[in-house]
Amino acid sequence: MQQNNPSGRRSAIDVVVRVRPLVKEELEAKDGALSLTFPDSASSWPTPFSISATTTTVRGAEKEKTWQFANFGAVLPPEANNRATYENVMVRTKAVENVARGNFSSCFCYGYTGAGKTHTILGYREELGLFHHAATELCCSLAGKTSSSGQPLSLQIRFAELYNNRVFDLLAPDRPECSVRENEDGGVHIRAATQMDEKGRVSVRPLTPMYARTEQEVHNIMAAGTKQRSAGKSTVHDQSSRSHAILEMEIVSQELIDARNQLIEREADAVPPGKARDGYLLMGAGVCYGRENGQFIFVPGVSEEAKEKYIREFTALDDPAEAAMQLVYAAQRHEKAILQESRDNNSVVGGTLVLVDLAGADVDDATVKQTPQQRKEATEINKSLLALKECIRALDKNKDTTHVPFRNSKLTHLLKRFLVPSSSISVMVANMSPSERLLKKNNQYYPVR
């Protein structure tokens, strides 16, 4: 959902700046703190913000410099905890409330490595993260609500990570690699690796879904997935998340779960006859080139008898393959009908909250020794974050003719379905450290630019 503001300009994404306090290592190193000017709590949109620090020029001279920013939804000082952050990020924008109306909402945490992104999303020890507060609110909103058939609703949770431009399922055993696919209507989905089911059919499944009805169940699922997430060293942090983590919490009914399982079954049933038909096409290359507009294109010189035989044998294989695909299409329509009925009846089914813990942006620091693997990680992370910036910039232009380059990275391709719908709410938390040393190290402050 695009946000209106007093200036009349519409913004695609609401941005909140969160400044963390200096951590123990920074205090021990006697890092200087930036001079930050925060707005008072009564400030209305747009929220101003400024940073002042002593910087070093190209010639080595030091001078005082001030950066002025505006147009933020909120600016949170170091003393703001995760609960206060949740109030300013999710409650103020009505992101979770929007999900409870059956729509999409998303929240991204962006910033340099060590800026506090994972702490904001997941929390640490007794301080709960945004996901836990959101899960609590969602579970409370579901209490007592049922589907059209009278069955209780639940949260379907999917958890994936994007590491070195490869997608992995964090809720499946052994963290299998997945693929990104786009269907005929432009929908983007994550597909798990193909597998042989108990009936001997080739089955292609989506991300592993897990179900919860209480916030504790959500917490347990998240804890299991987080253990499989990639972490490593960066130029400024010993335990940095080196992957983008994407958590989806969707409100589902048993009817929707059954419809999706039926679609998986129908797709598996369609593989054998389709494979047999396609194999016959390849084997018959010496007789027939293929079909165009329903007509067979035969190789010159083929006898009429051979043509008739080919058509007869191909039809015997094509009919069951086509019948199987019709069942797939029917299952797809059934799933869409359930979601459409939910929207028509103002139901909560299909509402989805997406929380994204983006990997820490990194700098090419010649003074820090990096392994080839670490350099590759940093390169992939920065490329995907640059692609996300370009997509946000294009969306913010608010013009139907503006091209949004979602295909420039796998990250933006995945997030397309949550950023495009007009009924979606998107919030970005720009996490930053107040360390003056990091400002000098990075030379510029990307999170608030």
Side-chain angles (χ1 to χ4, degrees):
M1 183 175 74
Q2 302 210 328
Q3 176 186 338
N4 291 307
N5 57 60
S7 67
R9 185 172 178 271
R10 302 173 73 198
S11 176
I13 295 182
D14 189 293
V15 180
V16 175
V17 175
R18 185 185 189 188
V19 183
R20 68 160 171 80
L22 290 172
V23 296
K24 179 181 177 181
E25 292 79 2
E26 293 167 338
L27 293 172
E28 291 176 348
K30 298 182 179 179
D31 284 3
L34 297 168
S35 176
L36 306 173
T37 303
F38 295 96
D40 61 64
S41 58
S43 294
S44 59
W45 199 101
T47 303
F49 179 50
S50 67
I51 301 173
S52 298
T54 302
T55 61
T56 304
T57 65
V58 176
R59 296 181 178 180
E62 291 189 345
K63 69 174 184 178
E64 191 77 12
K65 186 173 182 179
T66 298
W67 292 265
Q68 297 284 350
F69 304 97
N71 299 344
F72 293 122
V75 179
L76 306 178
E79 58 268 22
N81 59 18
N82 278 354
R83 182 63 207 183
T85 302
Y86 181 78
E87 293 289 335
N88 281 276
V89 173
M90 308 299 282
V91 177
R92 178 183 59 83
T93 61
K94 300 182 179 179
V96 178
E97 183 180 322
N98 190 53
V99 173
R101 291 197 296 266
N103 299 318
F104 285 130
S105 291
S106 58
C107 175
F108 308 83
C109 277
Y110 171 74
Y112 269 102
T113 180
K117 303 178 299 301
T118 303
H119 178 92
T120 299
I121 287 284
L122 303 181
Y124 183 68
R125 293 181 179 173
E126 69 278 357
E127 186 171 12
L128 304 176
L130 296 187
F131 98 87
H132 193 101
H133 292 298
T136 300
E137 187 174 346
L138 281 174
C139 290
C140 288
S141 70
L142 294 183
K145 291 185 178 180
T146 60
S147 65
S148 56
S149 64
Q151 296 178 322
L153 303 176
S154 59
L155 288 177
Q156 184 184 81
I157 300 171
R158 304 177 291 271
F159 198 14
E161 75 167 347
L162 181 59
Y163 174 70
N164 276 348
N165 209 36
R166 299 161 65 194
V167 181
F168 298 90
D169 188 346
L170 293 179
L171 294 183
D174 303 321
R175 185 176 160 268
E177 185 174 357
C178 304
S179 57
V180 180
R181 294 289 182 267
E182 186 169 343
N183 56 28
E184 62 276 4
D185 59 2
V188 181
H189 306 278
I190 298 177
R191 290 282 190 174
T194 57
Q195 53 186 289
M196 193 75 72
D197 65 15
E198 64 279 0
K199 298 179 181 179
R201 303 169 304 176
V202 175
S203 177
V204 181
R205 293 183 173 272
L207 281 174
T208 302
M210 300 191 76
Y211 300 93
R213 288 192 180 131
T214 68
E215 57 268 30
Q216 186 58 50
E217 291 174 341
V218 176
H219 180 81
N220 293 341
I221 293 170
M222 272 294 299
T226 303
K227 288 180 181 178
Q228 299 201 80
R229 191 178 175 191
S230 300
K233 291 185 178 181
S234 69
T235 56
V236 296
H237 196 209
D238 287 339
Q239 282 297 316
S240 175
S241 300
R242 309 311 289 156
S243 67
H244 306 299
I246 304 173
L247 170 69
E248 301 177 36
M249 293 189 287
E250 182 183 9
I251 301 173
V252 295
S253 62
Q254 190 58 49
E255 291 90 344
L256 183 59
I257 296 172
D258 292 341
R260 288 175 175 170
N261 288 335
Q262 184 185 54
L263 176 57
I264 294 172
E265 290 289 313
R266 293 291 180 259
E267 289 174 336
D269 288 338
V271 171
K275 188 175 181 180
R277 178 193 59 191
D278 295 343
Y280 187 80
L281 276 172
L282 292 174
M283 291 177 60
V287 177
C288 180
Y289 290 129
R291 287 192 301 177
E292 184 176 339
N293 298 325
Q295 299 295 318
F296 290 96
I297 303 175
F298 290 101
V299 175
V302 174
S303 66
E304 291 299 320
E305 183 180 356
K307 290 180 181 180
E308 292 176 2
K309 178 183 178 184
Y310 183 88
I311 294 174
R312 184 171 60 254
E313 293 178 348
F314 178 84
T315 303
L317 295 172
D318 184 53
D319 287 348
E322 183 61 29
M325 284 307 303
Q326 290 302 320
L327 292 176
V328 171
Y329 299 144
Q332 291 174 342
R333 290 193 297 269
H334 180 50
E335 179 191 3
K336 291 179 180 179
I338 292 174
L339 292 171
Q340 186 60 51
E341 181 184 7
S342 173
R343 287 189 288 268
D344 294 342
N345 296 330
N346 296 318
S347 173
V348 301
V349 173
T352 304
L353 176 64
V354 184
L355 299 174
V356 184
D357 180 15
L358 296 168
D362 215 342
V363 291
D364 186 9
D365 190 348
T367 66
V368 178
K369 186 176 181 181
Q370 289 183 294
T371 65
Q373 177 66 20
Q374 289 171 333
R375 284 195 295 271
K376 180 180 179 182
E377 289 175 349
T379 299
E380 291 294 342
I381 289 169
N382 290 340
K383 282 169 57 180
S384 60
L385 292 177
L386 176 62
L388 179 60
K389 182 199 76 171
E390 294 301 322
C391 288
I392 292 173
R393 177 176 293 175
L395 288 168
D396 197 48
K397 291 181 180 178
N398 191 35
K399 295 180 180 179
D400 293 336
T401 57
T402 301
H403 169 66
V404 183
F406 286 114
R407 288 181 174 272
N408 282 4
S409 89
K410 197 165 287 186
L411 172 67
T412 52
H413 200 193
L414 283 173
L415 298 180
K416 173 185 176 182
R417 57 192 167 130
F418 305 117
L419 295 173
V420 169
S422 59
S423 59
S424 67
I425 291 177
S426 298
V427 190
M428 176 173 284
V429 182
N431 295 87
M432 60 173 283
S433 163
S435 168
E436 195 169 38
R437 176 180 60 86
L438 289 182
L439 177 67
K440 294 177 179 178
K441 182 184 183 72
N442 299 332
N443 196 32
Q444 49 195 334
Y445 238 101
Y446 282 114
V448 293
R449 287 183 66 193

